[in-house]
Amino acid sequence: MKEITLETKIHDLLNDYEGMKEILIGINPKFKKLNNPVLRRTIGRVAAVKQAAIVGGMDPMELLNQLRIAVGQEEICATCTERSDACMLPKAEPKPLWVEKGEAIEILDANVILDADQNPLAVARKALKKLKEGEFILIKADFRPEPLIDEFSKEGYAIYVEELDTTHYNTYIRKNK
């Protein structure tokens, strides 16, 4: 079997290791969303272990090592060079002016989207296409939608994530061009 790293895709874990969905849910109940087949087919293809950990509110190295132990691989020590500040949970940033002074053009609820067996990434992308420069949408969720954040960051959108508490996140995504 392949070595599990922070960059291993969740889709690959589920395909390569029998019972992995149950292992993930056992590690963190937030991973129950993997019971949704749409989520597994879509976000699971782009989300890596590191991103899944952030969604679950965990330290990425903690999740990585729990997965490695579950499949019989050796732990990676916390002081190894693979662990860096980039692996840690993102630090809270001050709320940008565009969030403070602006109003979301559309508000999406990621949990409702998932419960309807839809792809939050596709729904958000459709909403973003309607925006003019400087406008933004708000995505509410009971998890930090790290795969979605990474995808839209790569596409040049401005993103701000507000953690209201451990089960309520507001993710603001602004069209820059």
Side-chain angles (χ1 to χ4, degrees):
M1 286 289 161
K2 299 176 195 168
E3 181 178 9
I4 300 174
T5 70
L6 289 172
E7 301 308 317
T8 300
K9 301 293 183 202
I10 298 303
H11 178 265
D12 294 338
L13 280 178
L14 295 171
N15 286 335
D16 293 347
Y17 298 95
E18 190 172 327
M20 181 53 72
K21 182 176 72 161
E22 291 73 22
I23 291 169
L24 282 160
I25 293 168
I27 291 171
N28 188 325
K30 286 190 175 185
F31 297 143
K32 284 183 183 172
K33 292 187 183 341
L34 289 171
N35 286 321
N36 180 320
V38 173
L39 181 72
R40 282 195 315 272
R41 281 193 314 273
T42 56
I43 302 299
R45 289 187 188 276
V46 296
V49 169
K50 180 173 127 182
Q51 295 165 321
I54 294 169
V55 167
M58 299 177 69
D59 176 88
M61 289 301 290
E62 178 187 345
L63 176 59
L64 174 64
N65 280 324
Q66 287 189 45
L67 292 172
R68 290 175 66 88
I69 290 167
V71 300
Q73 295 179 9
E74 287 186 30
E75 283 185 72
I76 297 174
C77 69
T79 57
C80 293
T81 57
E82 187 168 335
R83 184 178 182 137
S84 68
D85 290 339
C87 298
M88 302 306 292
L89 291 171
K91 305 271 188 271
E93 296 177 16
K95 191 179 279 189
L97 280 176
W98 58 269
V99 172
E100 288 270 354
K101 305 249 183 224
E103 188 172 323
I105 299 299
E106 189 168 350
I107 298 173
L108 305 172
D109 186 320
N111 298 317
V112 171
I113 293 167
L114 287 168
D115 289 344
D117 288 337
Q118 295 180 323
N119 176 350
L121 187 61
V123 172
R125 185 167 275 125
K126 186 176 180 182
L128 288 167
K129 284 184 180 180
K130 299 177 196 173
L131 298 183
K132 297 176 186 155
E133 183 178 337
E135 294 180 330
F136 63 92
I137 63 170
L138 166 60
I139 301 172
K140 296 180 175 231
D142 65 358
F143 59 94
R144 183 182 169 92
E146 199 64 24
L148 185 140
I149 293 165
D150 284 353
E151 285 297 306
F152 289 132
S153 290
K154 289 176 195 171
E155 295 174 20
Y157 290 95
I159 298 174
Y160 173 72
V161 180
E162 178 178 40
E163 181 178 356
L164 304 175
D165 59 47
T166 58
T167 59
H168 294 92
Y169 293 83
N170 287 340
T171 303
Y172 302 86
I173 306 173
R174 184 179 81 171
K175 188 170 190 173
N176 288 329
K177 46 186 171 172

